[in-house]
Amino acid sequence: GQNIDQPTEMTATEGAIVQINCTYQTSGFNGLFWYQQHAGEAPTFLSYNVLDGLEEKGRFSSFLSRSKGYSYLLLKELQMKDSASYLCAVNPGTASKLTFGTGTRLQVTL
Amino acid sequence: DVKVTQSSRYLVKRTGEKVFLECVQDMDHENMFWYRQDPGLGLRLIYFSYDVKMKEKGDIPEGYSVSREKKERFSLILESASTNQTSMYLCASSPYRDPQPQHFGDGTRLSIL
């Protein structure tokens, strides 16, 4: 079976840095995706990792360790608009299917 | 930009009805997916299709069927709607070559009374 774990909720202050962790146990691995989903809206793609290491995209970075089955999404200089759910998803190598975690709801406060 | 369009944002139906949810994408993507999203359970895959007339079951196909007669359109069918199918339904598409991010529609919030 496939198992992806991430914290349910996190709170952080505007201007701060927050790290959202994701651990996975899947039958195979062909990449890990992070999505952002604002309440009532569609998930939007943030980042993709398939090799170990850090991928940086502006204020957002994502890290992967395949040997540990672990990834994190790092959000810097938090803004109120970053309040959203963040979804971790793994492609286990079966066609283009993704297995999603339950998502982490991030609340940014003043 | 990729555009995935779902036919309705909100839909209310009665138990026992046959319900059709439609999804259209405009980027010539081979892969299309149907998910449902429930609080505490996240996104769960119902069915997906990697080509016209091709379909494969996802993790929770029971009570659902799909149709893909044209490349750009993927329909989800609730054969006989039940109250436990009240949910947010999300359609997504992606190119065939791996791995590629999936692009999502805005979702249909379906209530079965």
Side-chain angles (χ1 to χ4, degrees):
Chain A
Q2 325 286 12
N3 192 46
I4 299 176
D5 287 318
Q6 38 180 145
T8 304
E9 290 188 359
M10 298 182 72
T11 302
T13 306
E14 190 179 34
I17 299 172
V18 71
Q19 178 175 312
I20 302 174
N21 295 326
C22 171
T23 58
Y24 63 89
Q25 292 174 304
T26 54
S27 53
F29 183 81
N30 191 30
L32 187 145
F33 295 82
W34 283 97
Y35 285 82
Q36 180 190 59
Q37 185 178 26
H38 286 100
E41 297 183 11
T44 54
F45 168 70
L46 286 178
S47 70
Y48 167 70
N49 296 73
V50 67
L51 299 176
D52 291 351
L54 190 69
E55 294 281 342
E56 296 188 78
K57 259 190 190 181
R59 293 189 299 115
F60 292 7
S61 304
S62 57
F63 172 83
L64 176 68
S65 168
R66 289 173 295 169
S67 62
K68 295 181 179 177
Y70 167 69
S71 174
Y72 67 72
L73 180 69
L74 194 71
L75 291 75
K76 302 175 187 175
E77 301 169 14
L78 279 173
Q79 302 175 9
M80 297 299 289
K81 67 178 182 179
D82 297 328
S83 293
S85 290
Y86 291 86
L87 313 180
C88 173
V90 172
N91 181 331
T94 309
S96 299
K97 289 169 57 175
L98 292 179
T99 298
F100 283 84
T102 53
T104 299
R105 186 180 172 198
L106 174 67
Q107 185 172 1
V108 180
T109 60
L110 291 171
Chain B
D1 271 0
V2 176
K3 185 70 174 174
V4 179
T5 303
Q6 295 185 228
S7 53
S8 306
R9 284 283 273 160
Y10 301 94
L11 205 54
V12 180
K13 297 290 182 181
R14 296 204 174 274
T15 54
E17 281 193 71
K18 191 169 186 176
V19 181
F20 294 85
L21 302 183
E22 306 287 345
C23 175
V24 176
Q25 51 95 3
D26 66 358
M27 283 301 292
D28 203 36
H29 285 169
E30 288 78 10
N31 300 322
M32 296 189 75
F33 308 83
W34 274 108
Y35 296 89
R36 62 178 284 177
Q37 187 173 33
D38 301 288
L41 297 177
L43 279 159
R44 292 180 292 167
L45 182 65
I46 304 171
Y47 266 97
F48 72 102
S49 168
Y50 52 88
D51 202 353
V52 175
K53 298 192 185 295
M54 305 300 287
K55 61 184 179 183
E56 288 200 22
K57 292 179 180 179
D59 300 317
I60 51 164
E62 297 79 18
Y64 303 95
S65 62
V66 289
S67 172
R68 191 153 181 215
E69 296 296 319
K70 293 185 178 181
K71 191 175 185 180
E72 67 270 19
R73 186 180 297 271
F74 192 35
S75 303
L76 180 69
I77 303 154
L78 285 67
E79 297 290 344
S80 177
S82 64
T83 55
N84 63 12
Q85 293 178 309
T86 291
S87 185
M88 170 68 86
Y89 289 86
L90 287 160
C91 175
S93 73
S94 71
Y96 179 73
R97 60 192 180 282
D98 270 340
Q100 293 289 329
Q102 295 180 13
H103 299 268
F104 286 84
D106 287 334
T108 296
R109 185 163 292 283
L110 175 64
S111 296
I112 307 296
L113 305 178

